[in-house]
């Protein structure tokens, strides 16, 4: 059985488990047959053809839809489930080569159900445009799928707690496993902590390559930081990080891009 097909089976079994009082069961013989089943040559050829690649992208969309459904019904963090308007799952190309990870939805994202739609999101969109990407070309998600709750009458946003990130992290792991991007970009120190469990300053983390499950990981400042700090030197740091991303993706870089400032 091919991996996408096996993933679909697993996702279906998980839905059965969540919606039924009885857990799904399979005999050891059936499991052994599934694991040992040979892949037909015609199926292998189909998976490597253009039509097969399109089918794989559709499979990824289906798998993501199954995870999105579970996220939408999630109440593991009861306080967040009570305070949220809706969950904010992720948006973009399920077959993207480039995936961005932020920390948590803000008020705008909570209202619209899409990550990075406020002022920081608009800046991220401009960064993508300068890289010759549209938002639809990449995939964008957050560590937390719910907006962190705020005291009544309070304004702004608070960072997620380590417990909240640990509870929600498995959903992001599933997203990454399904999309299988060529490069990951973590936006800000909180996103890094949620993804890697590492606490450090951005000065220590950014500007060099890290890895997550063998996927190249670039760490850079969150766009919200650039909105607070308009210094050209800080904007240039983020753009230099994005140039490294373009080089790793083997995308052409023009002279204008090399001299660009956000």
């Amino acid at each position: 059985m091919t991996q996408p097909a096996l993933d679909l089976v697993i996702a279906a079994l998980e839905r059965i488990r969540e919606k039924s009082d009885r857990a799904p069961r399979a005999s050891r013989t059936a499991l052994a047959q599934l694991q040992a089943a040979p892949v037909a040559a015609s199926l292998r050829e189909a998976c490597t053809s253009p039509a097969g690649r399109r089918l794989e992208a559709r499979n990824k969309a289906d798998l993501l839809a199954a995870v999105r459904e579970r996220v939408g019904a999630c109440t593991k963090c009861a306080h967040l489930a009570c305070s949220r308007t809706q969950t904010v799952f992720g948006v973009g190309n399920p077959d993207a080569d480039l995936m961005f990870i932020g920390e948590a939805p803000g008020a705008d994202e909570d209202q619209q159900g899409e990550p990075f739609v406020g002022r920081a999101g608009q800046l991220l969109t401009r960064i993508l445009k300068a890289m010759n990407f549209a938002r639809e070309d990449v995939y964008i998600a957050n560590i937390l799928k719910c907006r962190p709750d705020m005291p009544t009458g309070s304004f702004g946003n608070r960072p997620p707690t380590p417990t909240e990130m640990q509870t929600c992290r498995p959903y992001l792991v599933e997203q990454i496993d399904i999309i299988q991007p060529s490069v990951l970009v973590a936006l800000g120190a909180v996103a890094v902590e949620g993804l890697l469990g590492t606490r450090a300053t951005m000065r220590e983390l950014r500007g060099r390559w890290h890895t997550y499950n063998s996927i190249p990981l670039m760490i850079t400042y969150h766009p919200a930081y650039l909105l607070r700090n308009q210094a050209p030197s800080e904007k240039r740091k983020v753009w230099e990080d994005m140039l490294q991303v373009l080089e790793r993706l083997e995308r052409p870089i023009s002279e204008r891009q090399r001299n660009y400032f956000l």
Side-chain angles (χ1 to χ4, degrees), residues 21-246:
D21 294 333
R22 300 180 61 185
R25 296 182 179 181
S27 69
R28 293 182 181 275
T29 301
L31 290 174
Q33 290 175 340
L34 281 173
Q35 292 172 341
V39 179
S42 59
L43 183 58
R44 287 198 299 269
E45 292 174 3
C47 287
T48 57
S49 69
R53 285 193 291 272
R54 288 194 295 272
L55 178 61
E56 183 179 357
R58 287 199 298 271
N59 284 345
K60 289 183 178 183
D62 291 341
L63 291 169
L64 287 171
V67 183
R68 180 191 291 270
E69 184 178 345
R70 288 190 282 114
V71 167
C74 182
T75 58
K76 293 177 181 177
C77 301
H79 59 296
L80 300 185
C82 290
S83 65
R84 73 192 181 206
T85 300
Q86 59 190 313
T87 54
V88 181
F89 181 68
V91 67
N93 179 5
D95 204 29
D97 288 327
L98 178 58
M99 181 173 178
F100 288 83
I101 300 170
E103 56 181 65
D108 293 320
E109 290 77 16
D110 178 66
Q111 288 294 324
Q112 298 186 40
E114 182 175 324
F116 284 92
V117 293
R119 291 181 62 220
Q122 293 165 14
L123 178 53
L124 177 59
T125 300
R126 293 202 298 272
I127 292 172
L128 289 173
K129 184 177 180 181
M131 297 172 72
N132 288 330
F133 283 111
R135 280 178 67 102
E136 296 77 19
D137 297 329
V138 304
Y139 197 90
I140 306 172
N142 285 318
I143 297 290
L144 227 62
K145 309 308 184 192
C146 297
R147 184 193 180 198
D149 56 338
M150 297 289 289
T152 303
S154 299
F155 298 96
N157 302 302
R158 70 164 176 85
T161 67
T163 298
E164 289 168 344
M165 290 192 289
Q166 183 179 4
T167 302
C168 204
R169 184 179 182 274
Y171 293 131
L172 177 66
V173 170
E174 286 189 80
Q175 288 174 294
I176 296 171
D177 288 346
I178 292 168
I179 295 165
Q180 298 178 0
S182 300
V183 171
L184 285 166
V185 176
L187 299 169
V190 175
V192 175
E193 181 182 352
L195 183 64
L196 302 180
T198 300
R199 286 191 179 187
T201 65
M202 289 302 296
R203 186 179 295 105
E204 298 171 296
L205 294 170
R206 65 149 294 273
R208 59 187 177 86
W209 286 103
H210 306 255
T211 59
Y212 166 82
N213 281 1
S214 301
I215 301 174
L217 169 66
M218 177 57 66
I219 297 169
T220 195
Y221 289 108
H222 194 285
Y225 169 80
L226 297 182
L227 294 176
R228 296 190 303 269
N229 189 334
Q230 297 285 330
S233 59
E234 300 306 287
K235 295 180 179 181
R236 181 62 192 182
K237 288 175 185 177
V238 173
W239 185 242
E240 288 172 353
D241 296 339
M242 294 305 97
L243 288 176
Q244 290 196 61
V245 169
L246 289 174

Side-chain angles (χ1 to χ4, degrees), residues 11 108 223 250 253:
D108 293 320
E250 298 182 351
I253 301 174

